[in-house]
Amino acid sequence: MILKPLYEVHTASGGEEALHFIQNKDIDVVTLDLSMPGLSGIDVLKEIKKLRPNTEVILITGYGTLNNAQEAIRFGAGDLISKPFDVAHIISIITKSFERRNFTSKINSLIETIQSLQTSKPYNLPSTLTD
């Protein structure tokens, strides 16, 4: 595993096993083969986005076509990588995916804070500054 020295890595033998794992654990980034036994990579991508919308998903394929890329992006993939790939390239994409995930989490947290401030009771302030 080229990523184990850099990240906590979990593996699954197929889509169903991956979805079961993701239901029970919040995962930051998923690398997913487009062609797998059982569920297709696109089907697993759709389910991941339903379960964990903020999880970044990178699809990997040996058959990269424009149609595959369009479908992957439509259903929420952060990137599509064609095989064979070089190690530096995939590490760069995964690093960017982690950064995107962290940025999205921060934005969501700020939105929640703003919404809670908007619904909280307003302060009793004087009607003018000279009162």
Side-chain angles (χ1 to χ4, degrees):
M1 289 240 119
I2 58 175
L3 301 174
K4 274 204 178 210
L6 303 170
Y7 302 104
E8 180 181 341
V9 177
H10 304 276
T11 59
S13 60
E16 291 87 0
E17 184 181 338
L19 290 172
H20 179 72
F21 188 83
I22 290 168
Q23 284 174 334
N24 298 308
K25 186 168 173 65
D26 191 22
I27 301 295
D28 295 314
V29 178
V30 173
T31 58
L32 185 64
D33 202 311
L34 195 59
S35 178
M36 302 183 302
L39 295 172
S40 74
I42 293 294
D43 290 335
V44 176
L45 167 64
K46 290 177 191 177
E47 290 302 313
I48 289 171
K49 289 300 185 175
K50 285 180 193 173
L51 293 168
R52 307 274 186 190
N54 293 329
T55 296
E56 290 290 321
V57 180
I58 302 165
L59 280 171
I60 300 172
T61 181
Y63 311 100
T65 66
L66 181 58
N67 188 42
N68 288 346
Q70 289 172 331
E71 194 172 25
I73 299 303
R74 182 174 344 130
F75 293 115
D79 217 320
L80 179 72
I81 302 171
S82 294
K83 294 177 191 174
F85 52 81
D86 66 81
V87 174
H89 181 65
I90 196 161
I91 289 173
S92 170
I93 288 172
I94 289 172
T95 300
K96 288 177 186 174
S97 295
F98 271 105
E99 290 169 356
R100 190 169 37 245
R101 162 76 183 221
N102 290 336
F103 183 71
T104 301
S105 293
K106 288 177 184 176
I107 287 181
N108 288 339
S109 178
L110 286 171
I111 289 169
E112 288 173 11
T113 301
I114 290 168
Q115 288 173 339
S116 71
L117 289 172
Q118 288 175 337
T119 59
S120 65
K121 190 173 183 176
Y123 297 101
N124 291 325
L125 299 175
S127 57
T128 65
L129 294 176
T130 57
D131 283 351

